[in-house]
Amino acid sequence: MKVVLASCAALPSGDGDEDALISALQRDGVDVSWQPWGSPVDADLVVLRATWDYTERPDDFLAWCETVPALANPVSVVRWNTDKSYLVELAARGLAVVPTAVVEPGEKPSFPDGEFVVKPAIGAGSRGAGRFTDHAEAQAHFEALGVKALVQPYQSSVDAHGETALVFFAGEYSHSFHKGPMLAQGLAESESGLYVEEKLRGIEPTEAQRSLADRVLDEAAALLSLDRKDFLYARVDVVSGADGEPLLLELELTEPTLGFKYTGEDAASRLSKAIRSTARA
Ligand SMILES: Nc1ncnc2c1ncn2[C@@H]1O[C@H](COP(=O)(O)OP(=O)(O)O)[C@@H](O)[C@H]1O
Ligand SMILES: [Mg+2]
């Protein structure tokens, strides 16, 4: 069985987080290798893992995804998930989501009082995300982005508590990790040019976080006419709202870091198992 992990030209073997996954797949007898996205690929399954530059060429990326015979997550999922406007759809289904307004280029955004975030609708690695109180500065940032963007009130709990990422394989909960705050006042700064460097560590989620994440997966699957087990991998990023209840910040179904470095080896074994059953299907 041949499995390709898709990466990008700047980091053709990812950032090291997948090392445990590669070991697990090899131990399980899988022929696994990395390949940057964009050229033809021959494998029983291609798993999007480190395709971080797709936000610069989203149309090319989706067109390439369409050419891959067996892709995880499936291209319909990727198409829906690469545009963060899905947050509005999930909120409309009654989920607790960070309040989100979508602004198209050329439109005049209306900004909330207090601190808020302006970030590209198609974005990853915190790039292009800015934290503002000044409306003129935020307007200038939105115009400089020149693309569809999201406006959200800044969730100040992130400064003290960061966010919790809950990871699922084939719809089943695997593990969680914690991510520190990414946005100082102003614009997020990236050293690598691909993502803003993150501070991560393992964490146990609360019951409330678990149950929100479960509902998010069920509702996302329903919106896509899929079953949640069709998501080979999923990461649900939650923050605390003003009342302490969890709010969805992001549902990552495209190329999330899965945090193997911050959890036990069995997480990689679980994904290896899910990959092998998806590749056989
Ligand atoms: N509404 C918000 N409130 C607080 N922090 C935010 C908010 N939106 C984004 N951030 C910060 O910016 C980071 C990147 O934003 P996110 O929506 O997760 O996009 P991505 O990870 O895809 O770049 C988050 O990890 C978080 O630290
Ligand atoms: Mg994020």
Side-chain angles (χ1 to χ4, degrees), residues 213-263:
D214 274 321
R215 290 190 55 213
V216 166
L217 283 200
D218 289 337
E219 293 295 341
L223 274 167
L224 290 159
S225 306
L226 293 171
D227 189 284
R228 63 188 270 176
K229 67 176 179 338
D230 299 329
F231 301 139
L232 173 65
Y233 51 84
R235 200 183 88 195
V236 184
D237 293 348
V238 299
V239 299
S240 289
D243 60 2
E245 285 304 300
L247 296 177
L248 176 68
L249 179 65
E250 215 183 347
L251 165 61
E252 293 250 26
L253 296 169
T254 305
E255 38 41 283
T257 292
L258 296 172
F260 291 113
K261 274 184 195 160
Y262 314 100
T263 188

